[in-house]
């Protein structure tokens, strides 16, 4: 199911709750834009977050409200 949240809220969560640096997020975003890999996985694959932080990210994403589908 697709989730709906503001990207800025996600970035704030990464910086404020997980204490991930702006430079680490920027590096992962550049790679994400080039290859379209999931941002949380990029952060983990590059060693920028721990497996515990990755779990917290997935928990946070799961808690976001479902996207309203309008046909």
């Amino acid at each position: 199911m697709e989730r709906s949240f503001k990207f800025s809220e996600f970035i704030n969560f990464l910086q404020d709750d997980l204490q991930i640096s702006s430079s680490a997020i920027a590096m992962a975003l550049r790679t994400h834009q080039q290859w379209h890999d999931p941002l949380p996985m990029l952060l983990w694959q590059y060693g920028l977050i721990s497996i515990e932080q990755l779990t917290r990210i997935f928990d946070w994403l799961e808690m976001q409200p479902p996207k309203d589908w309008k046909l």
Side-chain angles (χ1 to χ4, degrees), residues 4-5 11 23 28 31 44 46 49 53-55 66-67:
S4 174
F5 60 90
I11 298 301
S23 60
T31 304
W44 180 69
Y46 284 110
I49 61 172
Q53 288 171 308
L54 181 62
T55 300
K67 183 174 184 176

Side-chain angles (χ1 to χ4, degrees), residues 32-48:
H32 169 73
Q33 290 170 343
Q34 182 178 8
W35 299 106
H36 306 288
D37 291 334
L39 188 59
M41 293 305 296
L42 289 171
L43 290 165
W44 180 69
Q45 288 173 338
Y46 284 110
L48 301 171

